[in-house]
Amino acid sequence: NTFAITLLDGLSSREELVLATLNAALGTIPQFGGSAGDDERLANTHVFFDGQFHTRAATVMLVNTPLDFRVFSTHHMEAREEKLVVTHADAKSRTVYELNAEPAAEAYARAVGVAVEELDRKVFALRPMGVRIGGHYFVRSVQRVNADKSLTFYCAVETGIVMTAMEPGSLLDSVRTQIEASERIVGPPLVTIGCDCFLRRLEAEFTGVVDEVSDFLRHHKVIGFNTYGEQFDGMHINQTFTGVVIGQPDAGHGQN
């Protein structure tokens, strides 16, 4: 009856290394978490531990409870037809210099249907990329366009991977599906702790669904954070909602 919550410095670019090491130690213990943000300033991010804020740090909390719970992950991005191969990248800095053997920003802009000069936070929120692993797409989000027309991402990118252009489906429907499925297992929630990508928040603002989404989350007792990256069972991902639904005492309807 244990799960793990991970909270990492969102500008450390070390989430994959930390999670791979941690996942080997956790074994079958489910894990979720997020990377700390700083209101899009991209300057300083911190985690809080033992009365102090820390940079270039990570916290891991193991939660053992007699209550039923379900750890979940969901995103609402859907694959388009456009494919982009990473032909030159620096994995350490998460920077892609070339896609399909041309300047990354030019190839990405063409795939999403805008000019390079129009690439901004709205485009990044509404038109991320995805990597297919085991039949599922995991989102990779652009952080910024650099002066040399390279792209820096919020998540791991390596030379040779194939990325697929993505577009949003229904943000609220995807969250509703996961949370209601969890509540059918654990019963009425005592609390749901969530890590929700800040780009999803931006999308909700751009598309006018903030109030509707907020009302749903409030009704289902969701608390948590907007994050620069999300973690789920050893993977670091973007534009995703990860969390745990914890049932009330004596209210569970099944096993987690």
Side-chain angles (χ1 to χ4, degrees):
N1 290 325
T2 300
F3 62 89
I5 303 176
T6 52
L7 300 174
L8 284 77
D9 176 346
L11 296 178
S12 67
S13 298
R14 293 295 181 269
E15 288 97 337
E16 287 82 9
L17 176 62
V18 171
L19 292 172
T21 303
L22 180 62
N23 195 50
L26 288 177
T28 60
I29 295 175
Q31 169 265 325
F32 80 96
S35 300
D38 64 349
D39 292 329
E40 297 184 76
R41 289 188 293 269
L42 302 176
N44 292 287
T45 55
H46 311 80
V47 295
F48 188 79
F49 173 74
D50 197 24
Q52 298 182 36
F53 289 97
H54 303 267
T55 59
R56 300 189 65 80
T59 65
V60 181
M61 179 168 62
L62 288 175
V63 180
N64 184 270
T65 175
L67 303 177
D68 287 341
F69 65 85
R70 181 175 183 259
V71 174
F72 67 90
S73 173
T74 185
H75 72 78
H76 64 297
M77 292 295 166
E78 301 173 351
R80 294 165 52 93
E81 294 183 357
E82 297 86 354
K83 305 290 184 183
L84 298 172
V85 180
V86 179
T87 48
H88 181 199
D90 176 37
K92 186 175 182 180
S93 65
R94 298 174 174 170
T95 298
V96 175
Y97 295 96
E98 292 183 358
L99 291 168
N100 293 348
E102 62 178 305
E106 294 181 3
Y108 171 66
R110 186 181 308 112
V112 301
V114 302
V116 172
E117 295 75 19
E118 296 176 298
L119 294 175
D120 59 13
R121 59 204 285 268
K122 183 175 182 179
V123 175
F124 302 155
L126 297 178
R127 292 292 187 269
M129 306 299 292
V131 176
R132 189 171 184 177
I133 303 173
H136 299 280
Y137 284 98
F138 297 90
V139 183
R140 299 287 185 267
S141 301
V142 177
Q143 182 186 102
R144 65 179 182 269
V145 180
N146 302 308
D148 60 359
K149 294 187 178 181
S150 63
L151 300 173
T152 299
F153 283 75
Y154 280 104
C155 206
V157 285
E158 297 179 352
T159 301
I161 66 172
V162 178
M163 295 200 290
T164 300
M166 310 289 282
E167 62 184 3
S170 172
L171 190 155
L172 180 56
D173 285 351
S174 69
V175 173
R176 179 186 288 115
T177 296
Q178 278 295 333
I179 289 183
E180 290 183 351
S182 299
E183 291 176 359
R184 285 194 293 271
I185 294 172
V186 307
L190 177 67
V191 67
T192 294
I193 306 171
C195 293
D196 195 19
C197 182
F198 85 99
L199 288 168
R200 290 165 53 91
R201 170 74 188 198
L202 288 182
E203 179 193 332
E205 293 175 358
F206 292 141
T207 57
V209 298
V210 169
D211 290 343
E212 188 178 5
V213 173
S214 295
D215 288 345
F216 176 84
L217 297 178
R218 190 179 304 111
H219 178 74
H220 289 266
K221 301 182 179 179
V222 178
I223 62 172
F225 314 91
N226 286 124
T227 48
Y228 276 177
E230 298 72 54
Q231 298 122 33
F232 180 72
D233 284 352
M235 295 190 67
H236 179 56
I237 44 188
N238 297 142
Q239 279 180 254
T240 299
F241 189 141
T242 64
V244 60
V245 180
I246 303 174
Q248 297 182 15
D250 303 319
H253 298 304
Q255 298 298 315
N256 56 301

